[in-house]
Amino acid sequence: MTDEQQSFDALEERLNARKMEYETMPIPDAASQAVQAGIRQAARKRKSRLRWYMSSISAAALILLFTGCIRVSPAFASFVEQLPGMEGIVSMIRQDKGLMMAIDQSLLQKVGVTDEHDGASVTVEGIITDESRMVIFYTMKGMKDPEKFNYDIDLLDENGKDLPVGFSYAYPTPSLDKNVYENMIDVIFTDGASPPEELSVVFKSRDTASAEEWKMTFPVDKNLTKGMKKVIPVNQTLTVDGQRIDVKQATLYPTRLVLNVNFDPKNTKKVFGLSDLQLVDEQGRAWRTDTSTGGDERSIYFESMYFSIPKKLTLQGSGFSGLDKKDLDLSLDLKSHQITGGPPGLKMVGSKVEGKDLIIDFSVVGSMDGGFVLSFGNVTDSAGKSYEVPGSSWSSGDGTDDSHTIVSSTVENGAKLKGEVKMNISTYPMKVKSPFSLDIPVNP
């Protein structure tokens, strides 16, 4: 056995050890978790940047998708060796076929910049970026309660301004060295934004009594993926349960495929998202979607097949999550709990004041499974004053009725709200079953 093969085998053993560790990881009780992914998005849209957050449940679920024996290429092995201690993160991104192929093509930029003070440090180990996406790999050492992730992250350009991007990150996971935690930040460039010449990643403690901050600044090598963008015109129309969806084009980048679609404004339903969406090639391989941004004009993000362009692609789905547009607006009497308008089966079951905020509890038919929960864009009082609804949490069961879910919506600075208020629904767990497929032409 050669020294190189022994090195690969040793790496596989380390990665499979991490796999076993994640498979035995206890997953927290979903009933006690605030489902923040996508919920905080509505509030964050009013700022200069968007953020998405994943709970520890979703992070664990992502890792648990990782099955089978890990095989590594020389480039993949080199990637892990460049980022020592990052085997857990490698296990997570191994689910993204496109990202792993990009790493196999040596598109990873090694960074290795650390900020350390008071015995705690954060290191940006490396990044991979193109015009659509950036993934930032980092480790944390000596931090207080990193599993709770009591830190906010800012991404700044060379002028110290917030990047106009959306990004997500999960709770950090411990490496084999229990004092070191590892994670990644997944960045989406939207509305014409692009990677900066220089990037600063800033971690700020959420502890109001502390001013702790870690800042890592480094140049971004955009030449690694310069000119690597392919536009595939589609210009076809889907009709799903009577709702018209125009599929405009697919843009292929090394890190992801972006599918641009338009939902016809004349549709009778508001479509929150397409269900079980995937691209399937001629070999039956499925390329997954993870998220989408936008309103009626929407970008849907898939794994990239840039370095393995198929001969044929078919867009498939099982239906969508959506509501009749007439059911999006409702009036709510906070005293009597009476709801006028809104979707059938929605009930108010109570409310309480927490500090300056008002928490309103709703009973929703069904479960929150599938990525869409009850959330609101805003609340308006009788005087026309608008209030933000930055977050929601949920738990199963309406008393002893397990066919309902209790959703608690936070109205920011709404403690003094009385009487009737108007609310607009931004997402709702109403699924419409209507399977569809559409062939996507692939340019040779």
Side-chain angles (χ1 to χ4, degrees), residues 308-322:
S308 180
I309 297 179
K311 297 178 181 179
K312 178 183 178 182
L313 274 180
T314 302
L315 179 69
Q316 298 180 352
S318 62
F320 62 88
S321 175

Side-chain angles (χ1 to χ4, degrees), residues 52-54 149 151-153 167-171 183-184 206:
W52 292 266
Y53 297 89
M54 292 194 301
F149 207 76
Y151 306 90
D152 280 321
I153 296 176
F167 62 90
S168 65
Y169 53 89
Y171 290 111
N183 200 1
M184 65 183 189
R206 293 179 188 167

Side-chain angles (χ1 to χ4, degrees), residues 273-293:
L274 300 173
S275 303
D276 302 317
L277 199 60
Q278 60 183 3
L279 289 168
V280 180
D281 67 14
E282 73 280 359
Q283 300 179 40
R285 293 181 299 177
W287 306 84
R288 303 172 303 144
T289 179
D290 51 10
T291 188
S292 64
T293 61

Side-chain angles (χ1 to χ4, degrees), residues 169-220:
Y169 53 89
Y171 290 111
T173 56
S175 67
L176 295 179
D177 179 350
K178 300 302 182 181
N179 190 41
V180 178
Y181 287 75
E182 52 197 21
N183 200 1
M184 65 183 189
I185 306 168
D186 202 341
V187 182
I188 297 175
F189 296 111
T190 59
D191 300 326
S194 61
E197 297 294 330
E198 184 179 84
L199 176 66
S200 292
V201 183
V202 184
F203 286 75
K204 298 188 296 185
S205 174
R206 293 179 188 167
D207 185 353
T208 56
S210 171
E212 291 178 307
E213 181 176 300
W214 294 261
K215 183 176 182 180
M216 289 67 60
T217 301
F218 51 91
V220 176

Side-chain angles (χ1 to χ4, degrees), residues 15 66 70 76 79-80 83 86-95 100 137 182:
L15 293 178
F66 173 61
I70 301 171
F76 181 48
F79 162 70
V80 178
L83 305 181
M86 295 290 286
E87 291 93 340
I89 297 301
V90 171
S91 295
M92 294 174 66
I93 64 174
R94 190 65 173 173
Q95 298 306 308
M100 292 312 304
F137 302 96
E182 52 197 21

